[in-house]
Amino acid sequence: MGFEGIGASVRRKEDVRFLSGKGNYTDDINRPGQLYAVIKRADRAHAKINRIDIAAASAAPGVVKVFVGEDMAAEGIGGLPCGWQIHNKDGSPMAEPPHPVIATGKVRHVGDPVAVVIATSKQEARNAAELLEIDYTDLPAVANLTDAVKPGAVEVHDGVAGNICYDWVIGDKAVVDGVFASAHKVVKLDLTNNRLIPNAMEPRVALGDFDTSSGDFTLYTTSQNPHVIRLLMGAFVLHIPENKLRVFAPDVGGGFGSKIYHYAEEAIVTWAAGKLRRPVKWTAERSESFMSDAHGRDHVSTAEMAIDNEGHFLGLRITTLANMGAYLSTFAPAVPTYLYATLLAGVYKTPVIYCNVKAVFTNTVPVDAYRGAGRPEATYLLERLVDVIAYETGIDKVELRRKNFIPADAFPYQTPVALQYDSGDYQTTLKVALKNADWDGFEARRAEAKKRGKLRGIGISTYLEACGIAPSAVVGSLGARAGLYEVAEIRVHPTGSVTVFTGTHSHGQGHETTLAQLVVDQLGVPFDQVEVVHGDTAKIPFGMGTYGSRSLAVGGSAMVKAMDKVIAKGKKIAAHLMEASVEDIEFKNNTFTVAGTDKSKTLTDISLAAYVPHNYPIEELEPGLDETAFYDPKNFTFPGGCHIAEVEIDPETGVVAMVNFTAVDDVGRVINPMIVEGQVQGGVAQGIGQALLEGCGYDADGQLTTGSFMDYTMPRANDIPNMSVATENTMCTHNPLGSKGCGEVGAIGSPPAVINAVVDALKDYGVRHLDMPATGAKLWSIIQAATPRMAAE
Amino acid sequence: MYDFTYEKPSSLADAVKALSGDMDAKALAGGQTFIPVLKQRLNKPSTVVDLSKLGLSGITVAGDKIVIGAMTRHADVASNPDIQAKIPGLAYLASMIGDEAVRHRGTIGGSLANNDPAACYPSAILALGGTIKTDRRSIAADDFFQGMFTTALEQGEIITSIELPIPQKSAYEKFRNPASRYAIVGVFVAKHASGVRLAITGAGQGGVFRHTEMEKALSANFSPDAISGIVTPADGLNGDIHASAEYRAHLIGVVSKRAVAKAA
Ligand SMILES: Cc1cc2nc3c(=O)[nH]c(=O)nc-3n(C[C@H](O)[C@H](O)[C@H](O)COP(=O)(O)OP(=O)(O)OC[C@H]3O[C@@H](n4cnc5c(N)ncnc54)[C@H](O)[C@@H]3O)c2cc1C
């Protein structure tokens, strides 16, 4: 056993159970007498429900009960709540149409739940679901953002005029317009951010249980934040008090944001378990996941930058349409506003910024945060725009970035879009990335590729993101209906081993390892004597869960605070045992020492005394050694860095091959370098997926055209090149660890680097911009269209 | 899937009987197409007749032919030394189907019986001029493929083996659908003593087809240059969200040249 504290690449302890098939996922949990729910979903995008005949289904073998939307409504079950309220530019609140758990009156997207069939086996429930007779009147549907805001467009919700959920602004338009009016040059770019389907490896599952003796409900669910689900579902949907509701999210096989939200199925199985007094389980099929998990991205924007004659950025002006889908998912309204527009300064000292975002309802699956959430959209827009500025002015794209960077001595740096960055050094991450990618050797590689008939291109992205979400007061003032602190309980057991109870949730990130390393570091307890418990509201005091790369920066900081309390109490006990004054006790390497003497006690001596308080300062101190801390961050954290992509295009087919990828990120203090590297690799893989492969499509009728892996291009291992991943870190200045976060940087920084590389590869074809994903078919059309012109020149 | 009866006969005669007596009975080979279809409830068979106990797998060289049992898995075709040496295009084709799991379950007979317009094997069997042997007859490849998901097989007819003449040269090139990794355009070219046969899968609305213009040019001059001027019209080709008919038409030219270059 070597060094296992902060900075050690300790192997992930959870992987032993995952790789040996011993993970305990929600679907692995079965309760006595369990029933199975199958959700009948809308097969059309928009329709009036005239009548649902449940008679045949109810009479089918094995069926215990069929519920429709009216059954829940009749019991006063509310709709699914939205956790964030945005205000329009005129100060009025956003439109917040009802989001029934099971559709009533109308269905609004393919996949909208219409009925639930509960039977003694899944097979029987599926059989019976086919017997439901639903009489619909089809309505015209609108799936596409630009269509949805056209005058006379179909209304997704009655009374939501023009399908506008909100029309929000940040920045002073008059000031920004003034800067544009007198600028040397304005560079404009229209672009879309393609819609994505998250596709966690483990589909969603929910199992509701009701204890007939105690009247307690338990929901086992695939969630990134069980306490939030308990709060939302208990308080706002089913009206179950927290003391009667346990939510347990055991091992979860990937989330990427899609398992943050409170979903209808969770409420359905919990409610049904209470009605039927039996456990009810629902397990998504993959095709259901495509049409019921919240999707990501889906923006259409126009971006303009005003510049002076040397290429300095003077002002940025943006309008964005953001797709909300048919209903507001839990955090959807925050994504294109406070997680997007506030990031538009990026790493640049652009003095004034104005952004108008219209959030739009369409007849599609709700859209919400997906790895990066808002920040990939902002980064893509900005980093594409910067490349287009370079293209139009002829200024070198690296030089253009350098001259506009916020300098390393300017921190704390107040941006014009609300955020205050605490630390960063963009010149350094750029410099190291250029070196690691051998930027200077690129033209030789391009020439060599040309000999092989390939078009080689290189692209760069210098990005910044805001994570470590988030100061409660700040997000509260921005419309959040929750606080975003984190909670940790550190339980030192009588013999000195430690259990950590964290309110964050690990669904692939490796918290059981990283968080244990914090205990090794601060308390000196050996790694194998530290257990990290997460995911169970019955065990953990409280927590806001894992998303926005917050687990370490916020959850880890809560642990530090709780361990500070453990040490403080331990010192008092040690002082008593060693007959010294508390001020003279020092704690280091698991040992309390009386300063300047050789008198010492180990943490185990102290914990034993705390639990067996025979010789103990019982008058002043309670027994036990178990401390809890709530930590509310003072600010967001601001990871940033530089990503460089190199691609080769086959001009005969248009197909892009990723040949090199270099990431140099500033993630603050690194606890486990191996885990950081893995997180960056995974994020970059998703970013490459967005840039080259993935794109959720709907046809004009609102049918999903990419409803399975036959048509939705998930990246595979051999689509992803070997990557060079490194960090160049500056410390976060406002949390005790100095950590910023690494979970999303890969997905945020990489897409523009890839597209910039593709555009660079096509520079001889006069390509200024192209939208993601850069598929072979798309590039072939571009090359085809440009070839005759090139021949003519 | 819907409930069905499962049978695993141990003689070909019993299997034929089980399948012929009942219009709704279906054969199960590797299950790599059929089981997903069942899981999606797109098919409701009365009886599923598992062909795995009929002794239909194995690869043998018989003079100037290679005979492959219908139940031979893709992985076995890919790794067979005789096929690698004598029909390298076929070994390569099998190695590019799906993923490891699919290749260790899926069978050549199942693929041919299914005749998915984007499947790989039909192009090889057609270009090689193979013969499909069934429980009751022999069918020439030219007569076997009859359009998307349609073959010359009768109700209850079971493919037992595939007989392939060993060509002088062969190669397969596949332009994959980025999502499913089936063929958007797959080209199998085989140079026989009697001339060149070149078959295209993935592209045609009617499933696999021979490109006679290219065959003629290649029979005269087996080199990529021989076909570089041949333009394939987009009419009659598939178009979908991944590739328009025009793109497919263009890819037929590109992929065919690459296949020939590889074989030559
Ligand atoms: C993820 C994935 C990727 C794939 N990728 C590719 C690819 O890239 N290229 C490609 O070509 N294919 C691909 N396939 C399909 C794969 O090759 C299948 O194995 C094949 O199409 C069917 O063979 P099977 O043995 O699995 O047949 P089954 O699925 O068992 O049967 C298919 C059909 O054929 C009938 N049948 C089976 N055997 C016989 C027989 N001996 N006689 C008469 N009828 C019979 C069955 O009744 C059924 O109707 C892929 C499949 C999957 C799941």
Side-chain angles (χ1 to χ4, degrees):
Chain A
M1 184 191 75
F3 170 60
E4 293 179 318
I6 290 180
S9 284
V10 180
R11 287 219 194 156
R12 301 188 355 151
K13 64 155 91 170
E14 47 270 76
D15 286 352
V16 175
R17 80 173 181 278
F18 294 150
L19 297 176
S20 59
K22 299 200 173 82
N24 180 35
Y25 296 92
T26 307
D27 199 47
D28 294 324
I29 299 171
N30 292 296
R31 305 291 302 152
Q34 178 174 298
L35 301 171
Y36 296 81
V38 163
I39 313 259
K40 181 77 175 180
R41 297 181 184 277
D43 58 358
R44 59 205 73 206
H46 198 194
K48 201 164 153 293
I49 306 170
N50 300 321
R51 210 172 74 88
I52 304 175
D53 185 344
I54 65 165
S58 302
V63 172
V64 174
K65 191 73 192 172
V66 177
F67 291 114
V68 297
E70 272 74 20
D71 296 321
M72 292 190 94
E75 296 216 351
I77 303 299
L80 299 174
C82 179
W84 205 297
Q85 187 182 50
I86 298 295
H87 286 82
N88 293 308
K89 59 186 175 195
D90 66 7
S92 59
M94 67 182 188
E96 210 171 336
H99 183 180
V101 177
I102 302 177
T104 50
K106 273 185 191 175
V107 294
R108 293 187 176 81
H109 68 86
V110 170
D112 211 355
V114 184
V116 53
V117 178
I118 297 168
T120 49
S121 72
K122 191 165 185 183
Q123 180 72 349
E124 289 163 323
R126 286 192 75 172
N127 291 343
E130 291 183 3
L131 302 175
L132 287 167
E133 283 174 35
I134 306 168
D135 177 26
Y136 288 114
T137 302
D138 285 326
L139 300 169
V142 62
N144 174 298
L145 268 175
T146 39
D147 291 343
V149 295
K150 281 189 187 136
V154 175
E155 279 191 5
V156 177
H157 292 279
D158 300 336
V160 178
N163 294 314
I164 301 295
C165 170
Y166 56 74
D167 180 355
W168 173 91
V169 296
I170 190 167
D172 188 328
K173 185 161 192 305
V175 169
V176 174
D177 287 349
V179 168
F180 272 75
S182 62
H184 165 73
K185 185 176 167 69
V186 172
V187 176
K188 183 175 170 190
L189 176 64
D190 294 316
L191 76 179
T192 67
N193 202 285
N194 43 331
R195 185 179 179 113
L196 303 177
I197 303 180
N199 281 312
M201 195 182 289
E202 178 204 24
R204 287 190 296 114
V205 182
L207 164 58
D209 199 359
F210 179 71
D211 184 327
T212 49
S213 64
S214 65
D216 291 352
F217 289 87
T218 300
L219 169 67
Y220 304 85
T221 183
T222 47
S223 176
Q224 302 178 213
N225 37 212
H227 283 90
V228 175
I229 302 304
R230 186 181 67 171
L231 178 66
L232 290 175
M233 184 178 80
F236 299 104
V237 186
L238 301 183
H239 316 300
I240 304 169
E242 268 121 327
N243 62 318
K244 288 289 180 195
L245 175 59
R246 171 185 172 212
V247 178
F248 180 32
D251 286 330
V252 172
F256 312 109
S258 71
K259 291 172 182 168
I260 298 174
Y261 324 116
H262 175 38
Y263 284 100
E265 296 83 2
E266 294 170 325
I268 291 171
V269 296
T270 309
W271 178 75
K275 300 288 297 173
L276 304 174
R277 309 194 144 237
R278 286 176 73 174
V280 178
K281 181 192 264 188
W282 168 80
T283 304
E285 312 219 332
R286 181 60 68 180
S287 48
E288 273 186 291
S289 304
F290 276 87
M291 57 171 118
S292 70
D293 292 3
H295 292 178
R297 318 279 192 257
D298 205 347
H299 285 194
V300 174
S301 299
T302 298
E304 295 171 284
M305 187 77 89
I307 56 174
D308 70 12
N309 58 355
E310 293 176 331
H312 292 110
F313 304 162
L314 304 177
L316 179 61
R317 188 164 61 190
I318 289 163
T319 56
T320 292
L321 296 177
N323 203 336
M324 294 285 104
Y327 304 101
L328 291 178
S329 175
T330 312
F331 290 114
V335 177
T337 49
Y338 295 106
L339 295 173
Y340 165 71
T342 55
L343 268 295
L344 289 168
V347 290
Y348 308 111
K349 33 183 200 194
T350 317
V352 293
I353 297 174
Y354 170 80
C355 179
N356 170 221
V357 179
K358 290 193 179 84
V360 181
F361 289 111
T362 58
N363 293 112
T364 64
V365 174
V367 179
D368 206 327
Y370 168 64
R371 201 168 192 172
R375 294 151 288 160
E377 295 91 315
T379 302
Y380 179 70
L381 176 144
L382 206 51
E383 290 302 297
R384 278 298 303 132
L385 183 59
V386 172
D387 256 38
V388 172
I389 295 168
Y391 178 92
E392 291 200 355
T393 60
I395 301 172
D396 176 77
K397 50 198 166 193
V398 172
E399 210 32 59
L400 180 64
R401 287 177 164 86
R402 270 201 189 112
K403 71 165 66 174
N404 283 289
F405 276 167
I406 299 161
D409 61 7
F411 296 95
Y413 178 83
Q414 178 63 51
T415 74
V417 273
L419 298 177
Q420 194 189 71
Y421 304 163
D422 62 336
S423 67
D425 182 353
Y426 313 128
Q427 299 284 3
T428 298
T429 42
L430 171 68
K431 191 177 74 192
V432 177
L434 291 174
K435 180 170 154 287
N436 291 0
D438 186 23
W439 182 270
D440 292 339
F442 175 72
E443 287 306 330
R445 295 194 293 281
R446 193 195 307 260
E448 183 278 328
K450 197 167 179 188
K451 284 195 202 131
R452 287 183 283 112
K454 295 283 170 23
L455 305 169
R456 193 159 173 133
I458 194 162
I460 189 165
S461 141
T462 49
Y463 76 95
L464 168 133
E465 68 126 330
C467 63
I469 290 171
S472 296
V474 174
V475 294
S477 71
L478 300 178
R481 288 165 167 158
L484 286 170
Y485 50 83
E486 202 39 78
V487 187
E489 180 184 347
I490 303 290
R491 183 174 299 165
V492 184
H493 298 291
T495 58
S497 63
V498 169
T499 301
V500 178
F501 298 89
T502 174
T504 67
H505 186 279
S506 186
H507 31 279
Q509 296 88 342
H511 293 173
E512 291 169 40
T513 303
T514 303
L515 300 186
Q517 287 179 258
L518 300 184
V519 180
V520 173
D521 180 81
Q522 197 174 343
L523 296 184
V525 176
F527 183 75
D528 60 6
Q529 290 182 33
V530 184
E531 213 57 43
V532 175
V533 175
H534 61 93
D536 191 346
T537 63
K539 292 181 179 163
I540 292 133
F542 201 75
M544 296 306 295
T546 287
Y547 39 82
S549 304
R550 67 191 301 278
S551 297
L552 184 61
V554 190
S557 294
M559 283 176 60
V560 171
K561 296 277 171 201
M563 288 190 282
D564 285 346
K565 292 187 190 177
V566 166
I567 294 168
K569 183 169 180 183
K571 281 183 177 174
K572 289 184 189 162
I573 302 168
H576 174 89
L577 292 179
M578 295 188 281
E579 295 172 341
S581 119
V582 177
E583 291 73 46
D584 292 336
I585 306 290
E586 289 170 350
F587 179 74
K588 220 177 123 191
N589 296 335
N590 200 243
T591 308
F592 295 89
T593 311
V594 181
T597 75
D598 58 1
K599 282 209 273 183
S600 69
K601 293 273 177 201
T602 65
L603 180 64
T604 305
D605 297 331
I606 298 305
S607 57
L608 203 56
Y611 287 97
V612 188
H614 296 163
N615 175 16
Y616 195 81
I618 202 80
E619 297 294 327
E620 311 129 49
L621 219 53
E622 295 167 15
L625 197 52
D626 188 338
E627 297 290 343
T628 298
F630 283 55
Y631 175 80
D632 202 281
K634 296 187 189 72
N635 192 353
F636 294 85
T637 60
F638 300 98
C642 178
H643 288 185
I644 295 175
E646 227 169 297
V647 301
E648 274 186 14
I649 300 172
D650 176 350
E652 284 193 311
T653 62
V655 170
V656 184
M658 281 296 313
V659 289
N660 276 328
F661 197 95
T662 305
V664 177
D665 302 294
D666 173 357
V667 298
R669 170 117 38 235
V670 171
I671 309 302
N672 184 318
M674 182 191 68
I675 289 181
V676 169
E677 189 179 351
Q679 287 292 306
V680 174
Q681 286 174 341
V684 169
Q686 277 171 301
I688 291 172
Q690 169 161 31
L692 297 181
L693 304 166
E694 298 181 54
C696 167
Y698 279 95
D699 68 14
D701 297 327
Q703 289 290 340
L704 199 50
T705 55
T706 51
S708 80
F709 291 130
M710 291 299 279
D711 286 310
Y712 186 84
T713 312
M714 280 297 279
R716 284 148 160 111
N718 68 353
D719 292 315
I720 310 299
N722 286 329
M723 298 174 203
S724 155
V725 175
T727 61
E728 279 295 326
N729 300 307
T730 61
M731 295 302 121
C732 168
T733 61
H734 57 78
N735 71 38
L737 287 166
S739 295
K740 297 182 179 180
C742 67
E744 295 159 295
V745 293
I748 292 168
S750 59
V754 177
I755 295 299
N756 288 346
V758 170
V759 172
D760 180 58
L762 295 174
K763 66 179 190 162
D764 291 344
Y765 294 79
V767 175
R768 177 182 184 264
H769 174 70
L770 53 91
D771 283 322
M772 300 186 286
T775 60
K778 185 184 288 177
L779 296 193
W780 177 73
S781 307
I782 291 171
I783 290 170
Q784 276 308 100
T787 305
R789 196 177 47 196
M790 287 175 72
E793 273 166 13
Chain B
M1 48 187 85
Y2 296 108
D3 292 344
F4 53 77
T5 314
Y6 173 80
E7 281 184 25
K8 198 194 246 182
S10 47
S11 80
L12 187 59
D14 286 348
V16 171
K17 203 166 104 203
L19 286 168
S20 307
D22 178 353
M23 289 293 284
D24 295 325
K26 290 268 291 178
L28 172 69
Q32 296 305 293
T33 296
F34 191 33
I35 289 184
V37 165
L38 291 179
K39 284 170 83 175
Q40 290 173 76
R41 298 191 158 206
L42 297 173
N43 196 299
K44 196 174 181 176
S46 53
T47 304
V48 169
V49 182
D50 187 335
L51 307 183
S52 64
K53 279 280 171 291
L54 306 181
L56 294 181
S57 67
I59 297 163
T60 48
V61 182
D64 58 357
K65 295 195 167 76
I66 288 188
V67 180
I68 305 176
M71 285 296 288
T72 308
R73 316 275 175 194
H74 308 330
D76 295 326
V77 172
S79 61
N80 182 272
D82 289 323
I83 295 181
Q84 285 173 347
K86 296 178 195 305
I87 320 183
L90 186 68
Y92 173 75
L93 174 149
S95 77
M96 294 293 287
I97 295 176
D99 50 44
E100 285 291 340
V102 170
R103 292 194 288 274
H104 279 85
R105 294 298 308 165
T107 68
I108 187 168
S111 178
L112 296 176
N114 195 47
N115 194 20
D116 186 314
C120 300
Y121 269 129
S123 67
I125 310 312
L126 192 56
L128 289 167
T131 303
I132 286 104
K133 307 259 183 192
T134 74
D135 60 276
R136 61 199 73 164
R137 57 180 169 150
S138 294
I139 311 171
D142 283 312
D143 302 325
F144 182 81
F145 303 106
Q146 301 193 343
M148 289 201 177
F149 299 105
T150 312
T151 67
L153 292 175
E154 296 164 357
Q155 165 68 28
E157 187 170 6
I158 295 173
I159 301 176
T160 52
S161 68
I162 295 94
E163 204 178 83
L164 301 169
I166 297 170
Q168 294 166 344
K169 286 173 176 167
S170 71
Y172 181 67
E173 267 297 294
K174 175 178 177 181
F175 186 89
R176 295 189 296 200
N177 177 315
S180 72
R181 296 207 166 175
Y182 277 71
I184 277 184
V185 170
V187 175
F188 198 100
V189 62
K191 183 168 187 286
H192 303 271
S194 56
V196 173
R197 290 169 66 108
L198 183 145
I200 292 169
T201 189
Q205 284 174 4
V208 66
F209 66 92
R210 286 173 61 185
H211 203 302
T212 43
E213 198 184 346
M214 287 191 187
E215 289 183 350
K216 208 186 292 164
L218 290 167
S219 296
N221 171 17
F222 194 69
S223 85
D225 290 344
I227 52 172
S228 58
I230 296 177
V231 175
T232 305
D235 315 338
L237 299 185
N238 288 321
D240 55 34
I241 59 168
H242 298 287
S244 63
E246 290 69 29
Y247 187 39
R248 279 187 164 86
H250 166 79
L251 288 172
I252 286 173
V254 174
V255 179
S256 297
K257 275 196 294 179
R258 291 181 183 180
V260 173
K262 204 176 189 184

